[in-house]
Amino acid sequence: MQRRLPFLALLALSTTALAQTQTQTPAPATDPNLYLEDIHGARALDTVKRWNARSLAALEAKPGYARYRQRALDLLQADRQIATPDLILGDQVLNLWQDKTNVRGLWRVASLAAFTSGKPVWRTLIDVDALGKAEGKSWVWKGATCRSPSYDRCMVALSNGGGDAVEMREFDIPSGKFVADGFVVPSFKTGLNWAGPDALYVATDFGAGSLTKSGYPRMVKRWQRGTPLAAATVVTSATQDDVGIETSVFTEGARRYALVSRNVDFFHSTRSHVADDGRLVPSPLPDDAEINAVLDGRLIATLASDWKGVPSGSVVDYAIADVLAGRAPTIERVLVPTATQAVEQVDSSKSVLWVKMLDDVSGRLVSLTRAADGVWTQGVVALPTASTIHLDATAGKDDVAFAMVESFLSPPALYAVRPGAKPVTVDTLPARFDASTMQVDQRFATSKDGTKIPYFLVRKKGTTGPVPALVHAYGGFRNAQTPTYLVDQPYRSGPAGLFWVEEGNAFVLANIRGGGEYGPRWHQMPLRENRQKAYDDLHAVGDDLVRTGVSAKRKIAVSGRSNGGLLVGVAMEQRPDLYGAVVMGSPLLDMQRYSHLSAGASWIGEYGDPDTPADWAFISRYSPYQNLKRGVTYPTPFIYTSTEDDRVHPGHARKFAARLEAYGDPFFYYENPEGGHAAGADKIEDAKRAALVTVYLNTQLGGAVNR
């Protein structure tokens, strides 16, 4: 089947779009820190450099920093790694390989048969480091969208500095070269799919009038080879008030199934099938359903709300041919999860549907096949229990899928799975640390409204008495937080969690509402005016750690990135009595301005619209930038972001730091010059951040080794 990039336009605005949005909506003139929204402004960067210099000088001088950084780098760049199947194209496997020599990576190809046997012979297609050096760019790999069934050409996406904006170029796999006079789409948050062997569906910045008010592509065009992009023909358009528009293309053999989605907000889209003659035929699905895959000409989707007697969270399907012919399709139930289960990912191979699920936040993988009478039969793949499962890739010409399995204490292992057969181990990593001294417990805290909130607790065996605890959480956008090997957790500050546990402290992963741990309802409970429920959940976990003697007040650190950065920003202000440290990564903090900064306009469905008085009434109760008060003893936060974060504007972090400074409150601040929303373009930068976080925690909480 055709593989495609996610809709990057939903993630961030371009510089042009950002400028348009900010011009349309002037910021409050009373804010003295507005200059910090000028991303590359000289005054703003001078302030950032001052904070960086002061914070790095203090943290890098702390005991153990150099040792932590080197060990983190050794762990993250270990020679022994698992080559993941990033894409399966026919009988080929594509992979991006990164190590200490190839920091930005080698994009390479091997045969599917050799890969499955565990003995692949790789052929390098693109050396990303060498390409960047030759072109004078800081290229970061962002994936590829490849055409099928020929499996010979791909549109590769490269970001200069790691942001979401990508330049897309056509690449020929057999020759291992970029295509001379091939398709090229200039840098933007472009949505792109193959419309045929010599045509693309493109949603990008086509110039004046081509963006929505939010700054995203307003139109999809079909671009034929041999013609300029400016001559591409419009397929359809969104309205100025929509968030944006995108296409999805699924292939089965030579048959291509295309859909267009007009995104009303982050969670609602009106979708239409594209008929062979170019007609747009509406899909009968509700606008909050998630499109997953196509199998045997049937569209597979997951419901976010109850529909036609089918409960939310269920997987359903219908025959695309019926819709295109103007017939009302029969909606079939493919899988209905229980109250403790959630569907996380759905994909198809040649004749099998694969569903990755959670059951009380523990992973499971099932295979489903459809009989002629429309009945789906389910089989559970015998993978290790009490683990996190990642469905890495599926094959379009065979019924094989690849699943990575890991837990906090078990290193990742890659399996090739087939329906009804015992999984075959393709590769497994050796242990990176001594897990025999540690234990993991799953516990449940009780939130303010009585809801049971699960969390995982990792600490050394035999630990008694309260110890410092690091709690990581997210709580938004239906993104579940599941256990991963303590070595490689870049969004949780990498190996910092491992160092923390090894030295006698506690690491906690909290599964608060807003994520997808228990399906759509778990996500929907704290939306908009109910946002406080997510914050109450986090506080409940912290209070439970104190109540059960795991930790003590002011000995608990909270960590979060992006929406999680908002979460911990609220936490430090609402419960300064409970938390003693705050790791605030790529954060949303000025919720009065968020919808006018970078990608913020697309998140109104999650938070509400601050420009609407009724919405601002509830947003204003928790917005960290507006609720910071003079004279309160807050925990000293460690704030980090990236200058090139074009998803969550660095102005959030900057302005919050500036207000702390104006109030005389201490803080640590580090803004990486590149790296995009990940705040790190490679593992060297991830290792540095892990060391900074570790010495920061030791400084603020004492750390078990320093007690």
Side-chain angles (χ1 to χ4, degrees):
M1 69 181 52
Q2 180 169 306
R3 301 298 181 187
R4 58 210 178 279
L5 285 171
F7 180 43
L8 296 177
L10 271 179
L11 301 180
L13 298 169
S14 71
T15 303
T16 301
L18 174 60
Q20 291 173 344
T21 304
Q22 291 177 327
T23 299
Q24 293 167 355
T25 308
T30 56
D31 186 350
N33 300 317
L34 281 178
Y35 76 96
L36 293 168
E37 292 183 6
D38 185 0
I39 295 177
H40 299 106
R43 183 185 174 198
L45 290 179
D46 285 345
T47 301
V48 166
K49 290 174 184 176
R50 175 169 59 84
W51 291 337
N52 276 1
R54 182 180 68 195
S55 299
L56 291 178
L59 292 173
E60 290 177 352
K62 298 294 183 184
Y65 170 78
R67 174 172 51 85
Y68 288 130
R69 183 180 180 277
Q70 186 57 54
R71 186 173 177 221
L73 192 59
D74 291 342
L75 289 168
L76 295 173
Q77 290 190 330
D79 292 332
R80 183 69 176 86
Q81 301 179 41
I82 293 178
T84 56
D86 301 331
L87 290 174
I88 299 177
L89 302 177
D91 57 2
Q92 303 173 101
V93 174
L94 297 174
N95 161 262
L96 182 73
W97 178 264
Q98 294 174 293
D99 56 25
K100 63 186 65 176
T101 302
N102 306 285
V103 176
R104 296 294 171 89
L106 299 175
W107 191 47
R108 55 191 193 166
V109 63
S111 74
L112 177 59
F115 180 85
T116 305
S117 73
K119 299 178 181 179
V121 177
W122 296 102
R123 175 170 65 94
T124 296
L125 299 173
I126 298 176
D127 183 329
V128 182
D129 296 87
L131 181 67
K133 184 177 181 180
E135 298 184 352
K137 299 289 183 67
S138 183
W139 287 132
V140 177
W141 182 257
K142 290 289 183 173
T145 304
C146 303
R147 74 180 182 185
S148 59
S150 56
Y151 305 114
D152 57 345
R153 295 281 179 89
C154 296
M155 293 297 294
V156 302
L158 298 165
S159 168
N160 188 17
D164 289 334
V166 294
E167 178 179 307
M168 304 193 76
R169 307 179 190 174
E170 188 176 7
F171 188 88
D172 183 71
I173 292 177
S175 67
K177 296 179 180 179
F178 287 106
V179 178
D181 299 320
F183 290 117
V184 175
V185 182
S187 183
F188 191 70
K189 287 74 181 175
T190 297
L192 179 151
N193 278 287
W194 290 88
D198 293 298
L200 299 173
Y201 291 120
V202 182
T204 191
D205 184 352
F206 292 107
S210 69
L211 304 180
T212 66
K213 290 179 180 178
S214 299
Y216 298 108
R218 193 179 65 80
M219 58 185 66
V220 170
K221 294 188 178 185
R222 192 179 191 277
W223 184 16
Q224 189 67 35
R225 187 182 300 281
T227 65
L229 180 57
T233 58
V234 175
V235 176
T236 188
S237 299
T239 70
Q240 288 285 341
D241 293 325
D242 291 329
V243 169
I245 198 163
E246 65 172 317
T247 58
S248 301
V249 176
F250 302 90
T251 57
E252 289 188 301
R255 187 72 172 89
R256 182 173 282 103
Y257 300 95
L259 294 98
V260 175
S261 298
R262 183 170 65 85
N263 301 304
V264 179
D265 63 26
F266 201 87
F267 304 108
H268 298 84
S269 302
T270 59
R271 301 180 178 93
S272 298
H273 293 274
V274 183
D276 291 340
D277 60 5
R279 289 179 300 116
L280 298 184
V281 184
S283 166
L285 287 171
D287 63 4
D288 59 352
E290 179 184 353
I291 304 296
N292 302 130
V294 169
L295 182 63
D296 194 24
R298 309 185 71 81
L299 187 73
I300 314 294
T302 304
L303 300 179
S305 57
D306 297 347
W307 183 57
K308 294 183 179 297
V310 185
S312 68
S314 300
V315 181
V316 298
D317 80 301
Y318 65 79
I320 298 173
D322 286 344
V323 175
L324 294 177
R327 298 186 295 267
T330 300
I331 308 298
E332 298 178 350
R333 300 187 185 203
V334 178
L335 183 150
V336 178
T338 68
T340 61
Q341 294 177 339
V343 171
E344 272 206 300
Q345 185 181 352
V346 181
D347 208 345
S348 60
S349 56
K350 181 181 179 181
S351 60
V352 174
L353 197 67
W354 302 90
V355 180
K356 182 186 89 170
M357 304 175 66
L358 294 177
D359 196 337
D360 267 335
V361 205
S362 180
R364 65 185 306 191
L365 181 65
V366 300
S367 62
L368 295 111
T369 54
R370 182 179 181 275
D373 61 0
V375 175
W376 288 84
T377 301
Q378 181 182 139
V380 179
V381 181
L383 293 171
T385 59
S387 301
T388 291
I389 296 172
H390 311 277
L391 182 56
D392 281 352
T394 60
K397 295 173 65 175
D398 194 1
D399 279 326
V400 63
F402 292 91
M404 190 81 77
V405 182
E406 63 181 326
S407 68
F408 282 125
L409 305 183
S410 300
L414 180 66
Y415 296 88
V417 298
R418 296 177 182 275
K422 182 179 179 181
V424 175
T425 303
V426 176
D427 199 1
T428 186
L429 285 183
R432 302 292 195 206
F433 59 89
D434 184 4
S436 67
T437 65
M438 302 174 188
Q439 67 181 39
V440 178
D441 299 305
Q442 187 182 33
R443 298 185 174 190
F444 292 81
T446 303
S447 194
K448 188 176 182 178
D449 63 0
T451 303
K452 298 297 182 181
I453 309 301
Y455 67 91
F456 293 94
L457 170 63
V458 189
R459 48 184 182 164
K460 280 192 169 182
K461 293 177 180 177
T463 300
T464 59
V467 298
L470 170 62
V471 181
H472 185 86
Y474 183 76
F477 294 93
R478 211 182 295 164
N479 290 331
Q481 298 295 296
T482 57
T484 53
Y485 198 45
L486 282 175
V487 163
D488 187 14
Q489 302 184 67
Y491 294 140
R492 301 167 194 166
S493 301
L498 169 62
F499 302 158
W500 192 241
V501 174
E502 284 182 330
E503 295 177 355
N505 308 296
F507 178 79
V508 174
L509 183 64
N511 303 117
I512 67 175
R513 283 174 288 183
E517 286 85 348
Y518 291 100
R521 289 190 178 92
W522 195 251
H523 164 245
Q524 293 160 3
M525 279 191 264
L527 287 180
R528 292 173 48 82
E529 63 270 19
N530 296 313
R531 201 79 203 164
Q532 186 60 42
K533 292 180 184 292
Y535 309 139
D536 289 342
D537 293 354
L538 180 64
H539 305 331
V541 171
D543 285 334
D544 200 63
L545 295 175
V546 175
R547 182 186 64 81
T548 57
V550 172
S551 192
K553 287 189 173 183
R554 300 284 296 178
K555 285 293 183 180
I556 299 173
V558 282
S559 164
R561 291 185 67 258
S562 193
N563 171 75
L566 167 62
L567 171 75
V568 300
V570 173
M572 71 173 276
E573 294 176 355
Q574 291 189 351
R575 292 296 304 274
D577 65 305
L578 180 60
Y579 308 115
V582 179
V583 180
M584 190 182 296
S586 307
L588 275 161
L589 296 167
D590 183 352
M591 296 304 288
Q592 188 173 30
R593 291 276 298 142
Y594 89 88
S595 58
H596 304 294
L597 297 173
S598 296
S602 66
W603 308 326
I604 287 174
E606 181 87 9
Y607 302 118
D609 185 353
D611 293 339
T612 301
D615 287 9
W616 176 240
F618 57 77
I619 296 171
S620 65
R621 289 198 289 267
Y622 67 79
S623 180
Y625 185 58
Q626 283 75 27
N627 281 281
L628 199 66
K629 295 179 174 61
R630 291 183 184 271
V632 178
T633 303
Y634 296 113
T636 300
F638 172 57
I639 307 165
Y640 69 86
T641 186
S642 166
T643 306
E644 300 305 322
D645 187 344
D646 51 2
R647 195 180 309 180
V648 174
H649 195 292
H652 286 279
R654 294 173 177 182
K655 293 198 298 181
F656 192 74
R659 184 154 289 180
L660 285 169
E661 187 170 61
Y663 291 176
D665 294 328
F667 63 91
F668 295 98
Y669 185 95
Y670 177 55
E671 183 172 314
N672 197 331
E674 60 179 9
H677 190 53
D682 51 48
K683 294 179 180 180
I684 295 173
E685 295 170 3
D686 290 341
K688 178 177 182 176
R689 186 171 63 254
L692 291 172
V693 168
T694 304
V695 296
Y696 160 77
L697 293 173
N698 285 338
T699 299
Q700 300 305 304
L701 301 184
V705 295
N706 296 319
R707 285 183 294 156

